[in-house]
Amino acid sequence: MGPPRAHAATRRRGTRPDLRNLSLLIVLAALVLVGALTTPEQFLSLQNLQLVLTQASVIGVVTVGVTFVIIGGGIDLSVGAMVALATVWATTVATQQYGLGGILLSALLVGLGCGLVNGLLVSFGGMVPFIATLAMLASARGLALQISAGRTQIVDVQPVLELGQRDAYVLGVPPIVLVFAAVTVIGWLVLHRTTFGRRTVAVGGNPEAARLAGIDVRRQRLLLYLLSGLCCGIAAFLLIVLTGSGQNTNGNLYELDAIAAAIIGGTLLSGGRGTITGSVLGVLVFTTITNLFALNNLETAVQQIAKGAIIVAAVLIQRKGRTS
Amino acid sequence: MTEHAHHTPTTRRGILFGAAAVSAGALLTACTSNESNDRAATSDDQQTGGLDDKPGKHVTIGFAGPQADHGWLNAINVNAKSRARRYKDVTLEVTEGSNDTAQQIGQIETLINKKVDVLVILPADGKALTQVGLKAMRAGIPVVNLDRVFASPQAYRCWIGGDNYGMGLNAGHYIGEQLKDKKHATVVELAGIDNLELTRQRTKGFDDALKNYPHIEKVGRQAAEFTVESGQSKMAGLLQAHPSFDALWNHDDDQGVGAERAIKQAGRDGFLMVGGAGSRKAMDTIKAGNSVLKATVLYPPTMSASAIDLARALAQGKGIGGMAELEIPASLTLYSAVVTKDNVDDHLPTGFH
């Protein structure tokens, strides 16, 4: 027997995701206004826009994958650890010999490999997603630590490093941001315009009904964890480009940030509902907050308090938007 | 007897590894150093320190450190192990590193039960591990407390560690001297993990040093997390917030890798950067002289090798050569030297990866 899904039936159908995203847009606009008022010259500059989007990209790609998993009724706590393992694996000296292609491919393969294990444990091992991915969190972090021996693995492959430099910007857009945009668009198309997307929503909303409707629930769940792993592989590559290194501490607390961004973006934690645009807006809200803090030179303690307050505000506004 | 039999394979393997490490080290020195071999030999001798190198009675040292998830902590483990291997009369019992206080307490209790002669402990949290330090001392096992200090002096026989306040102080003085000809100068600070005592000490030392230079103003401070990723991200924010400044004090060379990356990505220069800890990468960069990084303030991971020296001396009842006293000191604070292009060659052998 799966977790109770009684609320799925009673949940309001036809809720307007646009309205929910609208409330997030209001929060984002408010943050932009604060930024424009406090540090007008820095905040509204092109450079800062590039910075905010670049910083949103790595966690953004992870969040797109996590959104799929949560909509499908699961959870993935291992995303940060998978990113760490992928960056460490892809930056080992042996891998660096194969250049950009070797680094990219190994990052993607590690992500996919971990995702496959998660998926098999949940779908065919009958494990609760929380536990299966928690186990992956622990072992992937451990493996990353062992491979790197706690060292920072510096990347010595010029084409990889150049991707993060200003010269590589396409019409003012950093390549890292382009990848994030592509993942967002593809994620949106897959979720809202394909059978795969409809199946994901069905499996998350009511797995029993989905099974009766002829959907292979186990296969669908396996694919969702694979997708999350793949996103982590992509994110790991972006992180390598961004920092020029691989480290076992990479992706620290990504799982919380990604899940929080998805929930703020209107994804139901119990599955069956969510949007890619909402999740991406959630990520942008977080990143803009961090940027505002840095620009205004706020202390760490104040930052943490303010972040908590803004999360609460965002969710309250959202709830208001839903009931009105 | 059984204990001895138990140790034999470890020792043999130890010697093999030791030989491998020494030859690898020699190879590395040969490859990377332009200096003559005499120089390498000299620096090696310096590292041996003034302690009595003559073999004494056999000593088993228990070593309990935190999880090596950071370059500096990894260097701590490596230094302790390789130093112990150099002594034929020393057996090192190492527990697996852990950041979990309860787990580390358990590991130390195991070492106490094994009746090691001396304990070297780098606690994940000094205050939280005080009780187990006391327990060891009461069981008659002297404790060498490494770096993060226990809450009670009764919990250790000898403390050896770095000087976080001194790091900030020396970084501040170096920056002050470099900018002394400027009428009005500004500095920014990229701190480490803000809820650690050591981060607050590094900042306090820095601020105190800057008080000697009234024309220098600290205009920005952000805390990172000792990781490359956080260093990149927080530095990018600092650079955006401050379109120009004259100097940057970065608490940690690991996060400095990320900070330097952010600086390059933003295409910024025109300021000098001072790092902290003393990684090999930072020293190589300082030596090459082609980046904003001009200096790093040491927090030497060789302190674990010195801790092994002290533990051995303690168990063998020796003092420190060159000092009049018959016993080893109760505490030793290492100096936070500033490594610049001028003296980088001297310090290169201690740079950690």
Side-chain angles (χ1 to χ4, degrees), chain A residues 19 47 57 102 108 117 136 143 156 159 235 269:
Chain A
L19 196 63
Q47 266 195 338
S57 295
L108 296 183
V117 174
M136 176 58 75
L143 204 52
D156 204 14
L269 193 53

Side-chain angles (χ1 to χ4, degrees), chain B residues 265-321:
Chain B
Q265 279 157 353
R268 288 279 289 273
D269 52 13
F271 59 90
L272 75 106
M273 171 176 174
V274 178
S279 77
R280 180 69 193 225
K281 167 89 168 42
M283 291 194 198
D284 285 340
T285 309
I286 291 165
K287 188 172 174 164
N290 54 6
S291 121
V292 289
L293 185 68
K294 299 298 178 209
T296 184
V297 186
L298 290 188
Y299 196 81
T302 48
M303 66 176 70
S304 62
S306 302
I308 298 295
D309 292 338
L310 290 168
R312 175 175 171 263
L314 205 52
Q316 295 178 341
K318 293 172 182 164
I320 290 184

Side-chain angles (χ1 to χ4, degrees), chain A residues 7-318:
Chain A
H7 61 275
T10 56
R11 209 178 55 234
R12 286 155 52 100
R13 295 280 165 197
T15 43
R16 289 163 293 178
D18 293 340
L19 196 63
R20 272 197 304 278
N21 288 344
L22 190 67
S23 52
L24 262 187
L25 277 172
I26 293 170
V27 173
L28 196 58
L31 289 172
V32 170
L33 190 67
V34 172
L37 288 176
T38 50
T39 56
E41 278 166 35
Q42 287 105 320
F43 187 81
L44 294 176
S45 67
L46 171 68
Q47 266 195 338
N48 198 47
L49 186 65
Q50 289 167 338
L51 176 66
V52 172
L53 289 176
T54 306
Q55 306 230 294
S57 295
V58 180
I59 185 70
V61 170
V62 172
T63 305
V64 169
V66 165
T67 304
F68 271 93
V69 173
I70 299 179
I71 293 175
I75 194 85
D76 194 343
L77 299 178
S78 65
V79 287
M82 289 195 285
V83 168
L85 181 59
T87 66
V88 165
W89 202 304
T91 55
T92 51
V93 178
T95 317
Q96 290 196 31
Q97 285 171 357
Y98 299 101
L100 191 154
I103 289 180
L104 176 62
L105 196 67
S106 44
L108 296 183
L109 284 178
V110 170
L112 278 172
C114 293
L116 180 68
V117 174
N118 276 338
L120 287 175
L121 288 177
V122 171
S123 290
F124 297 96
M127 278 176 84
V128 182
F130 187 93
I131 298 301
T133 57
L134 186 68
M136 176 58 75
L137 183 162
S139 39
R141 279 251 174 249
L143 204 52
L145 179 59
Q146 188 161 43
I147 294 171
S148 68
R151 289 174 179 164
T152 302
Q153 301 188 150
I154 310 282
V155 172
D156 204 14
V157 178
Q158 276 309 315
V160 174
L161 296 175
E162 280 162 13
L163 276 178
Q165 302 295 120
R166 202 155 284 273
D167 302 338
Y169 288 11
V170 182
L171 300 172
V173 185
I176 294 175
V177 177
L178 286 177
V179 173
F180 175 35
V183 169
T184 303
V185 171
I186 294 169
W188 187 87
L189 286 173
V190 169
L191 184 60
H192 302 292
R193 292 285 181 270
T194 66
T195 319
F196 181 87
R198 278 193 295 280
R199 281 180 181 162
T200 305
V201 177
V203 164
N206 190 337
E208 191 52 28
R211 195 184 63 80
L212 291 173
I215 298 172
D216 188 339
V217 176
R218 292 201 293 191
R219 179 173 163 272
Q220 186 67 21
R221 288 199 171 138
L222 173 68
L223 290 174
L224 289 174
Y225 284 99
L226 264 178
L227 185 68
S228 176
L230 177 67
C231 285
C232 289
I234 298 171
F237 180 73
L238 298 185
L239 198 54
I240 291 168
V241 169
L242 196 60
T243 64
S245 66
Q247 209 184 16
N248 67 296
T249 49
N250 278 338
N252 190 27
L253 297 183
Y254 274 18
E255 52 279 0
L256 290 185
D257 285 346
I259 294 168
I263 303 302
I264 285 184
T267 299
L268 208 60
L269 193 53
S270 47
R273 194 182 72 203
T275 62
I276 297 299
T277 29
S279 292
V280 170
L281 279 174
V283 168
L284 287 177
V285 166
F286 275 142
T287 321
T288 311
I289 293 173
T290 312
N291 180 252
L292 273 181
F293 290 154
L295 290 181
N296 287 291
N297 203 30
L298 284 188
E299 280 173 40
T300 314
V302 184
Q303 290 188 13
Q304 287 168 345
I305 298 166
K307 194 168 174 179
I310 292 168
I311 291 174
V312 171
V315 173
L316 284 181
I317 293 174
Q318 200 181 76

Side-chain angles (χ1 to χ4, degrees), chain B residues 62-65 93-98 104 107-108 110-111:
Chain B
F63 179 76
E93 287 261 356
V94 186
T95 63
E96 199 186 325
S98 169
Q104 205 184 12
Q107 289 170 339
I108 295 166
T110 310
L111 290 172

